[in-house]
Amino acid sequence: MDNFAYHKENISEFAVTSMINYQRVYRLLSDELDGKQINEQALYGYHSMAYSAFMTMKSYYLQNDILSHDEFDSFFEKAGQFSREFTSSRETNHSMQWTFGYYNELVESYNELASLLDLNSFNVPE
């Protein structure tokens, strides 16, 4: 197994875990827009799990130069933007419009990374 394949296998779990939990955050926010009562603790819990996996992934990436690909950098940028916007939107109690837009960009960047890592892609919401 070559060095990139080894690290690709290790970092893939962090990428998938991040996206699964970011998707859960998105779905809860969508439910809230539809007037459904949501569990705020679950919302913040999923975001916390996503962000934790994202930061672990970023740390792993920074320690392994062989992983240096633009797809990672784009994913890190978009995940950071989504997290900052989510947190800011909740704190100020303003519209989720930007949050949803950043989520779509996050999914698109993840799908590019998923292609590099041979992972399943996520659907971009309409």
Side-chain angles (χ1 to χ4, degrees):
M1 178 182 302
D2 70 34
N3 223 6
F4 181 77
Y6 170 79
H7 290 296
K8 178 176 91 166
E9 188 177 311
N10 288 335
I11 205 166
S12 292
E13 183 178 342
F14 299 123
V16 171
T17 299
S18 292
M19 278 309 299
I20 287 170
N21 286 298
Y22 279 131
Q23 183 181 56
R24 289 174 174 154
V25 169
Y26 170 81
R27 287 181 176 163
L28 283 173
L29 292 173
S30 294
D31 285 349
E32 184 178 65
L33 273 184
D34 292 338
K36 297 178 184 171
Q37 184 74 14
I38 65 163
N39 182 332
E40 287 286 327
Q41 291 171 328
L43 179 67
Y44 288 109
Y46 289 136
H47 181 264
S48 200
M49 288 188 295
Y51 195 74
S52 177
F54 157 70
M55 290 305 295
T56 303
M57 177 185 173
K58 188 171 182 177
S59 295
Y60 187 90
Y61 168 80
L62 291 171
Q63 293 174 21
N64 295 286
D65 291 342
I66 196 154
L67 292 170
S68 185
H69 286 79
D70 290 340
E71 292 87 348
F72 283 102
D73 295 327
S74 176
F75 177 74
F76 296 144
E77 177 186 342
K78 299 305 179 183
Q81 285 176 335
F82 174 78
S83 287
R84 284 188 303 276
E85 178 60 28
F86 163 76
T87 304
S88 174
S89 294
R90 297 314 277 186
E91 179 182 19
T92 60
N93 199 25
H94 74 265
S95 167
M96 291 286 126
Q97 179 181 358
W98 287 101
T99 307
F100 290 141
Y102 283 129
Y103 177 76
N104 289 353
E105 291 176 15
L106 172 60
V107 173
E108 289 168 0
S109 70
Y110 172 82
N111 287 342
E112 291 173 10
L113 179 61
S115 179
L116 173 71
L117 298 176
D118 300 319
L119 301 171
N120 293 330
S121 61
F122 279 68
N123 293 326
V124 178
E126 295 179 16

